[in-house]
Structures are given as C-alpha cells and as structure tokens.
Amino acid sequence: MNMVDSFEKIPVKIFESLQEGSYFIAQEIAKLIRDKESKGEKCVLGLATGSSPKTLYAELVRMHRNEGLSFKNVIAFNLDEYYPIENNALQSYKRFMKQHLFDKVDIDPKNCNIPNGEWKKEEIKKRCAEYEQILEEAGGIDMQILGIGNNGHIGFNEPGASIFSKTRLVPLDNSTRIANAQEFQNISKVPRLAITMGISTILKAKRIILMAWGQLKAPVIQKAVEGHVTEQIPASLLQQHNDCLFVLDTMAASELTRFKSPWLAGECEWTPQLTRKAIVNMALKLEKPILSLTNGDYNDNGLSDLLVEKGDAYEINLQVFYMMRDSITGWPGGKPNTANLATIERALPYPKRCLIFSPHPDDDIISMGGTFMRLHDQGHDVHVAYQTSGNIAVTDEFVTRFLDFAVGFEELAGIDSKKSSQILQNATRFLDDKKNSEVDTPEIRNIKGLIRRCEAKATCRYVGIKNENIHFLNLPFYETGTIEKKPMGEKDIQITLDNLKKVKPHQVYCAGDLADPHGTHKVCLDIVFESMKRLKAEGEDWVKDCWVWLYKGAWQEWDISEIEMAIPLSPDQVMKKRFGIFIHQSQKDMVPFQGNDSREFWQRAEDRNSATADLYAKLGLTRYAAMEAFVRWRF
Ligand code: F6R
C-alpha cells in the first residue's frame, strides 16, 4: 500500500478535463452495453441528471450515431426527480433525460424509468415501492452513474440520509435548493421536495462510477474520498462499496492530499511554487507570520524533508517572504522610469495598450475595478471588451420600468413613430402575459441587453475610458435566452480574434474562472485562450509581447499561495470601486440566477478584496485596506 492509498479510501481516476473524464465513462458504459448484448442480456443502467453528466450523454449520443452503439438492450433507471413538477416542465429531470439522451438514441421508451413528479402525493409510497420492485425484477443495476452535490448528496439523499434508505419522497436541503436555483428563475421557484432512490438502492448496484468536475466540488470530494464514513457526507458511504470509482478532473481532485499537500503523501519535488505553497499554508494554519516559523514548526507539520533539502527554516522563510512581497505592486501596467527590474510587469513599453475582457457587463468593475482605474490613471490606453450581453440577468420588472420611460419619452417629445411604438407595445404585452418558465422573445432580450450595455458604458465613463475603447462583442454562444448556453463556437472565436487584432494589446486581462466548468465565465475564458493560441501560431508579432493576466470572477479568489500580482487599494479606492459597481443598477438587489450567494456583488467584491489584504497581513506583510489578485497565464 502506498501513501496515496492510505489517504484515499475510494479509487480515483483523474483527467485533465471534464471532456476526457466523460469520454472515459462513456467508453466504460459502451463496453458494458456491448458485452451484455453479445451475451444476449439486458444492461441495466442507473442514470443521473444535473450539469455533470451532460458531456457524457453527448458522447454516448455521438457513439450511437457514429459508432453504431445501440441502446436496444438497455433498461435505464434514473435516480431522482423534483416533486411536484410537471413532466414537461423546463426543469424536470424527465425532460432533461429525453433532451440529452433518450430521444437521441434507440432505447425503448418503455425501458426508461424515472420517478414521476406528477404522482399523486397519497400514492407516492406505493409508487416508490413499485420502482424498487421493477428495478429488482430487471436484475438490479449493473452500472450506476452518479454526480455529487456540494453538500455530498448522491441522488437527492441529503446529509443525514440513512444507509438503509430506499426510493422515497425527501425534502431538499436548503443548500441544494440554492445550488439548483440556477435552473429556476429564483430560489422560491425551486421545489421543496424530490423523489430519490435511497442509499441502499444505490449501494446495491454492481458497479458505481461517480463523476465530479470543477473546483467547487473539490472540498466535498476530499471529504468523501479521504474522510470518515458518515451519513453527514452521503457520498462517503460509497467507501463501503467494493466496486466504486470516482472520475474527476484536476480541479475537482485539487483538495486531495496528494495535490493539496503532496509532501504528506510521499516524496515530492520542491519547486519554488511548491515551497511557497507549503510555507504559506503552514503559516496560516499556525497563525504565525512567515518569518516567525521555526525548525520545530517545519518538523511538526510534515516538512522536515524541506529542511533536509534546503537547510535552515530561516533561509526558507526569507525566500518565501520575498516571493510574497514581490507579488505586491501599485503599478499593474509596470512602473515606468524605474531602475528596479524586480517589478512584476515590464516597465516598457509605456504607455501600454491594455485589453480587459469582461464576461458580463459588470465583471470588469466587480473583479478588477481598482486595477482598471489605476491602469487608466497611470496613463495606459485601456480598452474593455464585454464578451456577452448579460441579458438573461435582467428582471422583467426592470424592463417594464424602461418601457414606461420610453413611452413617456415618445409622448414628451411628440414622436409618432409607429415602428418604435409597435415594439414597445409588443414588449409590454409579452411581459404582461409572460409565463413562469417562458423564454424571452428576441425583442425583450435585446432590450435587456441594451440596459446592461448602457450600464457598462456609464461605468467606463466613470473610470474615464474613451467611447471608442469600449467594445461589445455580444458573443453568440450566450444568446439562448436560457441559463443553458451553447458551447464555444467558431463565430465566438472569430469575433474575439478580430477584437484582439484591432487592439493589439500589450496586456490582456480575463476572468480566470475555472470553478464552474459549465459557467459562462469558463466558456469566455476558453474563447480567449483559443484565440490567443491561434494568434501565436499565426506568428502575429505583437502577440510575443503580450502578457495575459487572469482575475477571478464574482465567485471566488485565487489561492493566496498562487497570486503573482496583488494590487493594493486604499480606502478611498475601495469606495470609488463600490460606486462604480453601483452603476449597474439592474444587478442590484435580487437578480435572476443569482446563484448560491445572497450578498450583493459590491459586498462580495469588498469582502474578497479585504480578505486577500488580510491574508497578506497575517503572513507578516504590509496591511492594506484591500487587494485585487492576478495570476499570469503563460501560453
Ligand atoms: C441528479 C442528482 C444529483 C446531482 C448533484 C450534482 O440526478 O442525483 O445528486 O448529481 O446534485 O449536480 P450537478 O451535476 O448539477 O453539479
């Protein structure tokens, strides 16, 4: 048994990306289906919904179309369904399965079993018992596919669910309702109940594969794989199954000891980055400034190897302290007229052309408002490219307010333009009759996009950016009118390439959000990465001289030990940034699809920036009011 095994109690397979992980699982499923088929047997699959298995299902559909994979011998049992919910509601899992898999392959509809959100409440117990029985009669599940909730749920077995539980009606945990609010307009529309297979139903499967992608899942994966078996983390109960595999991408695996603290899991190569990570984590854990760490602290915290290799604690402390100190600069575009070559950005050329990519119309000011203002104030030629329209996050009430204004303006100005009045009338009528889950008409979407565009322009004016430096890319992948976006497409890349070629920046800033692999920010990032790689391959001269800096979007911050450039903000700059965020009035108070954090964007930004400053101070560096953090992408 090696050290990794002793920490990890469930076998884990890690892939570079969710795509590769999903292809692997698809292969496993296909092998099983074909193997069963060759023996003339049925193949019983337990299936999950949610964002995690979408790429897996897309790959199975591709294999069906291109490689003749048949689902004729498959009997499917889905894990769960909201309750109550109409079968064809946008958010029902029945609809999800039809859309992503069942309607696209040759499975017999009679073999598609899924708890029904329309069952009468008084019949649910009986129906659930029948569900278990049909499953048993089908011979039990050959392979169960699972996702995992941030609270460790599997199916909708929330923390506390018994290991003996069977298919039943359950209340949804508040954290699950918040996490899933993204699929609904807002939290109040998320059903309070669900029907789910039980833990014992899941554990009876002959083989189980659980998949998890993205950094948000990393903490719970660590607990499920390395922690104690506890009903408080339902996925940890899978440790008791004898053929269970976790398939992860590198992000979801990142909290496992072998990555988080590799020195504890065996031998490791002490690069400067790893040394910094180990020392910073130790200092924060012991609540000591870096320069106060002793040889004894190193020994007590599993870092004696580092002492053997690098010498005394004092020397190592200094080295890490300097690395942290040198990541702080008030000159994000480099400091001109300086002999100090240790600054983070190049002093020359000065001034620089800086291009900030903002996935939504407010990410620039929320995530890097202080840096944005500094770049402009320090004389650089700052451009902003708003990647998407952000139209989905404007409420209907907000649009109505603007429609009222437009009608009033027409009256006031005595305008009798039939065309514009018609647009206003159509828009008003549509909103008056709009049903809960109805998708906005292109007209309404345009108005919502316009509202956000005006807010972005006002922010740029506030910072002092020239009109011609504001670019609205309106990337098409975003324009579905629903929370579900299209994947990155060639058109998105072409638009971005054109923008980059026009500006020819020395510096690019973009949202390096890797946390949510399905989110808009990640797609926006992939589009910039792909565009930059192509420009480099094309040999564009200016690209060699272009540095790319990643900021984090509204949800998370870089790990303190990763930060390569930290821009301090004075209390006045914090206030100036706050007012810049306030300009985005459509995003204040409750916005649709807010996600699982009820704080307003300016509060999140301030909490985050002051937390970064606080961590630097705890490590023994100067205490600033706030700090914005960046990591460089080397391509
Ligand atoms: C869905 C299900 C849930 C999800 C989990 C993760 O059928 O049973 O347990 O697997 O909530 O959801 P995503 O994949 O959306 O992060």
Side-chain angles (χ1 to χ4, degrees):
M1 184 191 261
N2 66 29
M3 287 290 271
V4 168
D5 292 333
S6 69
F7 281 100
E8 293 169 16
K9 299 167 190 157
I10 296 177
V12 165
K13 219 170 164 56
I14 301 164
F15 292 86
E16 273 301 309
S17 66
L18 81 89
Q19 280 77 11
E20 287 165 58
S22 301
Y23 299 159
F24 168 79
I25 303 174
Q27 291 290 345
E28 294 298 294
I29 294 177
K31 256 188 265 164
L32 182 70
I33 294 178
R34 288 190 171 121
D35 181 43
K36 290 275 183 182
E37 192 184 22
S38 68
K39 294 187 201 148
E41 291 175 9
K42 295 283 182 199
C43 175
V44 183
L45 296 178
L47 298 176
T49 54
S51 54
S52 306
K54 282 184 190 165
T55 309
L56 162 65
Y57 294 152
E59 174 63 5
L60 287 174
V61 170
R62 192 200 61 78
M63 290 167 118
H64 167 69
R65 287 185 182 152
N66 301 349
E67 294 169 14
L69 177 66
S70 168
F71 288 74
K72 285 219 163 90
N73 67 327
V74 170
I75 307 181
F77 284 87
N78 260 82
L79 279 166
D80 43 18
E81 176 63 285
Y82 291 114
Y83 188 83
I85 197 160
E86 288 171 12
N87 284 334
N88 62 0
L90 268 182
Q91 301 86 354
S92 93
Y93 285 165
K94 177 159 187 172
R95 187 181 165 131
F96 176 102
M97 288 310 296
K98 282 163 73 72
Q99 182 192 342
H100 290 277
L101 188 67
F102 296 158
D103 282 356
K104 295 183 172 160
V105 295
D106 60 347
I107 189 168
D108 182 346
K110 287 202 293 295
N111 288 340
C112 300
N113 302 285
I114 180 159
N116 192 331
E118 291 184 12
W119 281 340
K120 290 204 189 89
K121 193 141 188 194
E122 57 279 14
E123 288 181 0
I124 289 183
K125 265 204 178 133
K126 193 175 110 217
R127 299 290 197 156
C128 288
E130 281 167 12
Y131 199 73
E132 293 269 339
Q133 200 188 335
I134 309 173
L135 208 171
E136 217 158 283
E137 283 166 10
I141 292 173
D142 293 307
M143 188 188 289
Q144 174 67 54
I145 301 300
L146 295 175
I148 181 171
N150 295 337
N151 62 2
H153 73 214
I154 45 177
F156 275 137
N157 295 286
E158 303 284 22
S162 156
I163 193 162
F164 303 111
S165 54
K166 295 193 167 155
T167 306
R168 69 211 184 283
L169 186 65
V170 292
L172 287 180
D173 212 57
N174 206 36
S175 64
T176 299
R177 293 186 66 235
I178 292 171
N180 290 13
Q182 300 231 351
E183 298 161 24
F184 296 81
Q185 280 262 326
N186 59 51
I187 175 93
S188 68
K189 304 245 165 62
V190 185
R192 290 177 185 281
L193 302 173
I195 301 166
T196 180
M197 282 186 191
I199 305 262
S200 81
T201 327
I202 293 172
L203 285 175
K204 267 191 252 161
K206 294 173 194 107
R207 185 171 179 211
I208 300 177
I209 297 184
L210 181 147
M211 76 192 96
W213 325 120
Q215 202 153 24
L216 287 181
K217 298 279 167 77
V220 78
I221 287 295
Q222 188 277 332
K223 288 186 195 130
V225 174
E226 297 187 348
H228 299 299
V229 175
T230 163
E231 286 169 345
Q232 290 313 309
I233 306 283
S236 71
L237 301 172
L238 298 171
Q239 290 180 18
Q240 303 194 339
H241 194 276
N242 60 14
D243 192 359
C244 174
L245 174 72
F246 276 26
V247 177
L248 312 173
D249 66 359
T250 44
M251 292 284 156
S254 61
E255 290 284 325
L256 294 175
T257 305
R258 60 167 135 157
F259 301 111
K260 182 89 183 160
S261 317
W263 49 92
L264 298 177
E267 297 229 335
C268 61
E269 193 197 332
W270 284 108
T271 59
Q273 282 72 21
L274 192 61
T275 309
R276 170 172 156 174
K277 183 170 168 169
I279 305 313
V280 165
N281 286 348
M282 171 166 59
L284 292 174
K285 182 176 143 207
L286 300 180
E287 297 183 15
K288 277 185 168 187
I290 293 171
L291 293 178
S292 303
L293 295 168
T294 63
N295 284 339
D297 293 331
Y298 278 62
N299 286 329
D300 293 347
N301 287 278
L303 291 171
S304 44
D305 267 7
L306 193 56
L307 289 179
V308 172
E309 201 171 307
K310 303 230 164 172
D312 198 56
Y314 179 74
E315 290 301 326
I316 308 168
N317 291 349
L318 265 184
Q319 186 194 337
V320 174
F321 180 82
Y322 290 149
M323 281 170 100
M324 294 305 293
R325 185 197 62 187
D326 293 344
S327 66
I328 304 172
T329 177
W331 298 84
K335 189 171 186 181
N337 308 321
T338 175
N340 180 5
L341 296 176
T343 51
I344 299 150
E345 250 293 352
R346 304 144 295 168
L348 296 175
Y350 176 84
K352 288 190 173 61
R353 274 187 307 280
C354 311
L355 176 58
I356 300 175
F357 281 107
S358 182
H360 300 97
D362 53 357
D363 290 307
D364 50 350
I365 189 80
I366 292 174
S367 302
M368 54 168 291
T371 309
F372 185 10
M373 292 187 259
R374 260 179 201 261
L375 286 167
H376 174 264
D377 295 347
Q378 291 171 355
H380 299 287
D381 183 23
V382 183
H383 292 247
V384 191
Y386 295 101
Q387 294 173 281
T388 72
S389 69
N391 56 15
I392 185 173
V394 178
T395 61
D396 296 341
E397 291 70 33
F398 212 81
V399 179
T400 308
R401 194 191 296 180
F402 277 82
L403 291 177
D404 283 348
F405 173 85
V407 171
F409 181 81
E410 282 192 346
E411 283 168 11
L412 203 70
I415 298 171
D416 180 25
S417 151
K418 283 222 166 71
K419 186 157 183 267
S420 89
S421 298
Q422 193 60 51
I423 291 175
L424 293 179
Q425 279 170 26
N426 287 347
T428 313
R429 202 167 319 126
F430 175 79
L431 288 184
D432 283 349
D433 300 337
K434 186 174 161 182
K435 304 209 178 52
N436 241 337
S437 52
E438 203 170 345
V439 176
D440 283 334
T441 56
E443 218 165 47
I444 298 287
R445 275 167 21 215
N446 283 341
I447 299 173
K448 290 185 171 178
L450 178 64
I451 291 174
R452 298 210 66 183
R453 223 165 32 240
C454 293
E455 290 172 344
K457 272 188 173 173
T459 311
C460 286
R461 218 173 290 133
Y462 176 73
V463 175
I465 304 300
K466 293 181 285 192
N467 248 339
E468 58 267 33
N469 283 14
I470 310 172
H471 313 265
F472 292 102
L473 305 187
N474 283 323
L475 295 181
F477 86 88
Y478 182 88
E479 297 303 319
T480 59
T482 65
I483 187 79
E484 178 121 25
K485 307 297 184 305
K486 284 181 272 187
M488 148 174 108
E490 192 50 37
K491 220 163 166 209
D492 301 302
I493 298 168
Q494 283 309 324
I495 294 172
T496 307
L497 280 173
D498 288 347
N499 184 249
L500 279 160
K501 284 182 185 170
K502 199 159 110 191
V503 179
K504 296 192 175 46
H506 302 104
Q507 270 198 330
V508 164
Y509 289 87
C510 48
D513 277 287
L514 307 162
D516 171 10
H518 311 281
T520 297
H521 282 211
K522 176 67 167 54
V523 183
C524 284
L525 182 67
D526 288 343
I527 293 169
V528 177
F529 280 1
E530 178 60 26
S531 306
M532 292 301 292
K533 281 186 203 151
R534 285 195 196 179
L535 286 169
K536 192 173 177 193
E538 282 171 22
E540 288 260 356
D541 235 14
W542 60 271
V543 181
K544 282 188 242 125
D545 199 28
C546 177
W547 286 23
V548 179
W549 290 102
L550 307 178
Y551 60 88
K552 283 266 175 172
W555 318 101
Q556 267 192 324
E557 190 50 278
W558 294 110
D559 190 277
I560 181 81
S561 62
E562 286 174 309
I563 297 174
E564 289 178 78
M565 179 165 78
I567 309 293
L569 272 66
S570 70
D572 281 351
Q573 285 166 328
V574 171
M575 286 310 284
K576 183 150 186 224
K577 172 171 172 176
R578 184 190 296 181
F579 291 130
I581 299 175
F582 281 177
I583 292 172
H584 292 268
Q585 285 190 344
S586 73
Q587 301 303 294
K588 277 196 57 59
D589 310 321
M590 280 292 283
V591 295
F593 312 110
Q594 163 111 19
N596 55 4
D597 188 335
S598 60
R599 287 172 303 164
E600 289 202 17
F601 290 113
W602 68 271
Q603 290 170 313
R604 296 185 212 183
E606 276 182 27
D607 290 352
R608 206 172 85 182
N609 295 159
S610 68
T612 304
D614 197 43
L615 287 176
Y616 268 88
K618 283 195 172 124
L619 294 172
L621 291 121
T622 311
R623 176 175 290 280
Y624 290 97
M627 278 174 152
E628 288 174 348
F630 301 86
V631 164
R632 190 167 158 211
W633 179 61
R634 292 167 174 84
F635 62 105

